[in-house]
Every structure is written in structure tokens, then in C-alpha cells.
């Protein structure tokens, strides 16, 4: 669909920013409309992961990068091994920074990439494709579904071909992009929002959050150590220095809380 705006090169900076922001406001509403489908996916993922299943994202270009991004943020945020949520992008890791010519056009490569992880019926595969027609994604989803793997897609094109290949189609209709065809904008924002919702709620359901706190976060820097210590101060009503010492000894906020429950 063509943009609702024109003569962009003639517009002042502030007007351009206001118009982009106006379009961005529509994204959250569109994501909200897709919540029933997102919930259905999560309700399918959680019991599988409790049995040892994994969550895979697969995409090309911007969509692939967003899947890899979301997967890469699960370990530090929720303290999960990097093997639990896995992001694949057409063209491999090189494509995270530079386009790989024709990588997304191969209908078989997505499934071949998944074979390297021995994907199985406990796993879930989510294909991310703004257009809903990416061969790399569609081919992987088709094979996965045929092998009894739970499949879903996130697309911004209602009724797109990829929706016919999955158990759970998630259609987020954001309307025309500000720059015609630039799906890195509203479509990409919608995909990022949906992925945030999926991974966060799945991790909450798997017990990786307590109250509203990231009690399993990795202590990879002094800021996060300080945050964890303050969580313990609030939860256990102990002095900060003791909280920090306990945190460094046990390795996570949750481990410290669990040790107090067993004392």
C-alpha cells in the first residue's frame, strides 16, 4: 500500500517527525487487536517448554533480525540458557549486519537450518514475515507443521500465504508505511512489540519473574548487581551490603530467595 504522505523531501524536519509519530501511534492499537492470537500461541508454547521444548523464531531481513534480538535478550533478562529461545535469520549471522543476496528466496534452507538444532515435536516455530510471503520462512513453517511441530506466524499482511502454513496466524494490520514499502518502520515496530509480549509472558509463566522483578537476570555488570541487591533489600528487609554479598555468593536473586525459604 502506498504511503498516506507525499513530497517527503520537501517537508521540514519537525513535520516529518510528527507524521512518523502519528503513524507509530497506530501500531499499539493494531498489536492490541491481535492479543487473542498471541495468547493462543503462548498457551501452546508454555506446556511444551515445561516438558523441555524450545521456542524458535525464523525470519529474513528486519524480521529475522528482530527474532534474533528477542532470543538473545532472554538469557540476560531471565537467566535462561541460550538454547531455550533461538532466533534464525536467512543468510545466517552475516545477515544481521549486511544483506545476503537471495537468502530469503530459498524455500528449503529454513528447514535445513532448523535441522542443525534437531527441532522436534516439543518445540514451537514462529515465522516472522511482514509481507507474509517470504519463501525462507514459509518453507520452514510448512515442513515444521508437517512434522507435527506447533507453528505460528507474525505478519502484517492479512490473509498472506504464510498464514495458510501455520496453526496460529498472528496478523497485525498496521496500514501503509510512512515511506512506502519500508517495513522496518511500523511493521518492524509491531513485530518487536509482539515478540516482547511473547517472550516476556512465556518467561513469567515459566516462573522466571517474581512479583514484577527479574529475579533470574544475569549479573553481567555492576548496575545489575546493584539492582539485584536492592531487590533483596526490599524482599528480605536486610542491609544492602549483606544483600549484595548473598547475591554474589548465590548468583541470582531467586537463588537467594530460595535459600531463605529452605533455612
Amino acid at each position: 500500500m502506498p504511503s498516506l504522505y507525499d513530497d517527503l523531501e520537501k517537508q521540514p524536519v519537525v513535520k516529518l517527525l510528527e507524521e512518523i509519530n502519528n503513524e507509530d501511534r497506530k501500531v499499539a492499537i493494531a498489536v492490541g487487536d491481535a492479543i487473542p492470537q498471541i495468547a493462543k500461541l503462548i498457551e501452546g508454547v508454555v506446556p511444551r517448554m515445561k516438558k523441555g521444548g524450545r521456542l524458535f523464531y525464523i525470519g529474513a531481513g528486519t524480521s529475522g533480525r528482530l527474532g534474533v534480538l528477542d532470543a538473545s535478550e532472554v538469557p540476560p533478562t531471565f537467566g535462561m540458557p541460550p538454547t531455550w529461545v533461538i532466533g534464525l535469520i536467512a543468510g545466517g549471522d552475516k545477515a544481521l549486519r549486511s544483506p545476503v543476496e537471495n537468502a530469503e528466496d530459498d524455500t528449503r534452507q529454513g528447514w535445513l537450518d532448523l535441522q542443525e538444532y534437531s527441532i522436534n515435536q516439543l518445540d514451537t516455530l514462529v515465522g516472522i514475515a511482514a509481507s507474509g510471503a517470504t519463501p525462507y520462512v514459509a518453507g520452514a513453517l510448512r515442513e515444521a507443521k508437517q512434522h507435527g511441530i506447533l507453528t505460528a506466524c507474525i505478519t502484517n499482511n492479512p490473509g498472506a500465504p504464510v498464514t495458510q502454513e501455520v496453526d496460529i496466524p498472528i496478523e497485525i494490520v498496521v496500514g501503509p508505511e510512512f515511506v512506502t514499502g519500508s517495513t522496518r518502520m511500523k511493521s518492524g515496530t509491531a513485530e518487536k512489540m509482539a515478540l516482547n509480549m511473547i517472550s516476556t509472558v512465556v518467561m513469567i509463566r515459566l516462573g522466571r519473574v517474581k512479583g514484577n522483578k527479574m529475579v533470574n537476570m544475569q549479573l553481567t555488570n555492576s548496575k545489575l548487581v546493584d539492582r539485584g541487591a536492592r531487590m533483596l533489600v526490599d524482599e528480605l528487609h536486610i542491609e544492602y551490603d549483606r544483600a549484595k554479598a548473598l547475591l554474589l555468593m548465590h548468583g541470582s536473586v531467586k537463588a537467594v530467595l530460595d535459600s531463605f525459604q529452605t533455612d
Side-chain angles (χ1 to χ4, degrees), residues 97-108:
R97 294 183 180 274
S98 304
V100 175
E101 187 175 359
N102 299 325
E104 69 176 59
D105 297 329
D106 191 332
T107 59
R108 290 188 50 78

Side-chain angles (χ1 to χ4, degrees), residues 226-247:
D226 175 70
R227 181 182 297 171
R230 293 183 187 281
M231 288 182 194
L232 292 172
V233 169
D234 292 340
E235 288 284 333
L236 300 174
H237 308 291
I238 58 178
E239 294 295 324
Y240 177 87
D241 288 344
R242 186 186 177 202
K244 183 175 180 180
L246 286 169
L247 179 63

Side-chain angles (χ1 to χ4, degrees), residues 142-217:
R142 185 181 307 117
E143 287 283 349
K145 187 177 180 182
Q146 290 174 357
H147 283 77
I149 297 163
L150 178 65
T151 56
C153 68
I154 300 172
T155 182
N156 307 107
N157 186 12
V162 76
T163 64
Q164 308 303 312
E165 307 288 356
V166 299
D167 300 300
I168 306 170
I170 299 171
E171 299 170 315
I172 306 175
V173 186
V174 297
E177 296 287 0
F178 181 70
V179 175
T180 299
S182 181
T183 54
R184 57 177 284 275
M185 302 186 76
K186 288 162 63 179
S187 296
T189 300
E191 291 169 355
K192 180 67 169 76
M193 292 176 71
L195 292 169
N196 284 349
M197 296 167 86
I198 293 165
S199 57
T200 300
V201 176
V202 165
M203 290 300 134
I204 291 171
R205 289 299 190 191
L206 291 177
R208 310 305 292 183
V209 172
K210 178 177 173 57
N212 58 15
K213 297 181 175 64
M214 300 183 296
V215 293
N216 287 284
M217 65 184 178

Side-chain angles (χ1 to χ4, degrees), residues 80-129:
M80 296 291 276
T83 52
W84 281 66
V85 182
I86 299 167
L88 300 179
I89 181 172
D93 287 353
K94 178 183 177 182
L96 292 172
R97 294 183 180 274
S98 304
V100 175
E101 187 175 359
N102 299 325
E104 69 176 59
D105 297 329
D106 191 332
T107 59
R108 290 188 50 78
Q109 190 59 49
W111 180 246
L112 293 175
D113 289 347
L114 288 164
Q115 295 311 291
E116 296 183 16
Y117 297 88
S118 300
I119 191 169
N120 61 74
Q121 291 183 4
L122 282 179
D123 299 325
T124 304
L125 178 63
V126 179
I128 313 167

